[in-house]
Amino acid sequence: MKEDTFHTALQNTVFGAVGMLLFTALPFLLTGWFKPGISVMSALAIYALFMLSANILSMFA
């Protein structure tokens, strides 16, 4: 495996792990303030924005 391929895979792994942590933890945190359905949809929206921003940032790196 080339060095640049390894770094790209590592960066994608880190972004994916942080994204899954967000998607797992946010519904639990948000249900204290919102109804469960709204909490899950909000967590999904935040997760999607995070993954899109990670994808955009990886294009410029």
Side-chain angles (χ1 to χ4, degrees):
M1 179 182 283
K2 295 180 184 176
E3 186 177 350
D4 59 337
T5 307
F6 173 74
H7 288 294
T8 303
L10 184 64
Q11 183 180 14
N12 288 338
T13 303
V14 170
F15 278 123
V18 172
M20 264 307 165
L21 180 65
L22 279 174
F23 187 60
T24 304
L26 279 176
F28 290 111
L29 295 173
L30 292 175
T31 50
W33 296 294
F34 304 109
K35 293 180 179 182
I38 295 172
S39 297
V40 171
M41 294 305 286
S42 299
L44 183 61
I46 292 169
Y47 173 74
L49 288 173
F50 175 77
M51 294 308 280
L52 285 173
S53 66
N55 189 12
I56 291 170
L57 286 176
S58 69
M59 289 189 325
F60 293 115

